[in-house]
Amino acid sequence: MEDYLDVYPGKTVLVTGGAGAIGSNLCRHLAGLGAQVIILDDLSSSEQWNVPSLPGILFVEGDVLDEVKLKRIFFERPQIVFHLAAFFANQNSVDHPESDLEVNGLGTLRLLEYSMLTGVQRFIYASSGCSIYGSSAPLPLREEFVSLNLSSPYQITKMLGELYCNFFYNHYGLKVVKPRFFNSYGPGEVPGQYRNVIPNFIYWGMKGEALPITGSGEETRDFTYVGDIIDGLLRAGAMESAIGQEFNLASGKETRVIDLANIINKATGNKKGIQFVQRRKWDTKSRLLASIDRARKLIGYEPKIPFEEGLKNTIDWFKEKWDKIEGSARFSPGISSAVREHLTK
Ligand SMILES: NC(=O)c1ccc[n+]([C@@H]2O[C@H](COP(=O)([O-])OP(=O)(O)OC[C@H]3O[C@@H](n4cnc5c(N)ncnc54)[C@H](O)[C@@H]3O)[C@@H](O)[C@H]2O)c1
């Protein structure tokens, strides 16, 4: 076991959003390290069956805005807080901007307040690469660049969360860390109308439907395997050098969306190919590629899982859980036609 992981055994760790795509993987790792994990999640964008059922994990179903639940949980004196709960993500926030502000803005402020008041030793905030750099930053995206021209309410409120973290760090000395994730993918993410491209492509591929590409397909993303994000988070929660810092957690590699679609169609045996649909108005980034120099330097972060391997693990997970995934995928009835209609709005 790496030395920095020594901080986790026996610690009480709160993970908000612990039922979600990244949170469920994080909680499994934390429990494996011997931490006492409390999950707070309202299951608004995740499934009960995805919550790891392991000794050492306590699942509390509830809203981060629910002060009764927060008081009860902070009475247990968590020492480390991973704040991953969020109103997810861009299109959802365009459709429901006030809910986005409540959860991502007020929810984050509440978590920071309770953490500060109860002496939490480390607060790790799940920030977002797409929320800080806007669409005109030079590539690779570096932490010093900040854009004030963001293209969705989600991007605005995820940045707001970072700003609140900075206030609590500077004013109260709360030890915050702000890793900025890029396009996480992997086992644990259930497809749905507001979910990311990889689980949705796999889902449609397995159902034998054409994959809708919202743009030219030449767009690139920095797809990061969830296992690498978890490694970065565990470092963020443990290492002194991370305190007060923001840094990208990414793969440092670009993949074209059209290549992704072709790989997934091949891997799922989908003969229906691809279908081009109109770009979404908020989707202003033609390329995403992050520099991971700062994370390397500060916390020794190094992505380990090659894209092909990560994709294979994800497809294997889909096959293993297919009945549950198919029953839970949150799309309107008549799924792909409804989604395509939605995407062209
Ligand atoms: N997935 C990505 O590519 C990505 C990229 C950048 C940043 N992030 C951030 O990482 C975090 C985790 O992302 P994810 O992909 O696991 O998303 P997710 O939607 O799978 O997980 C978020 C969890 O928060 C829960 N939640 C939502 N509102 C809540 C509320 N009011 N109270 C309690 N729980 C609530 C949801 O039910 C869900 O389980 C989020 O904060 C997200 O903004 C994710």
Side-chain angles (χ1 to χ4, degrees), residues 87 107 128 151 214 295 311 333:
F87 193 83
S128 159
S151 53
T214 55
L311 217 44

Side-chain angles (χ1 to χ4, degrees), residues 17 19-23 40-46 62-64 84-86 88 103 126-128 154 158 181 183-184 195-196:
I22 299 173
L40 175 63
D41 196 305
D42 67 356
L43 299 178
S44 56
S45 68
S46 52
D63 192 327
V64 289
L84 269 57
F88 196 84
V103 177
S127 186
S128 159
Y154 170 82
K158 290 304 289 186
F181 309 161
N183 303 104
S184 172
R195 299 308 312 185
N196 290 314

Side-chain angles (χ1 to χ4, degrees), residues 294-323:
R294 193 184 282 186
R296 269 196 185 112
K297 194 161 155 236
L298 282 174
I299 57 167
Y301 168 78
E302 198 60 59
K304 292 187 185 66
I305 307 296
F307 189 57
E308 299 68 28
E309 186 183 334
L311 217 44
K312 183 182 174 310
N313 293 348
T314 314
I315 293 172
D316 287 349
W317 180 77
F318 265 73
K319 288 181 180 158
E320 190 196 323
K321 304 277 182 196
W322 181 247
D323 289 346

Side-chain angles (χ1 to χ4, degrees), residues 212-225:
I213 293 186
T214 55
S216 68
E218 294 297 319
E219 298 82 3
T220 67
R221 293 294 176 258
D222 189 333
F223 294 112
T224 313
Y225 189 62

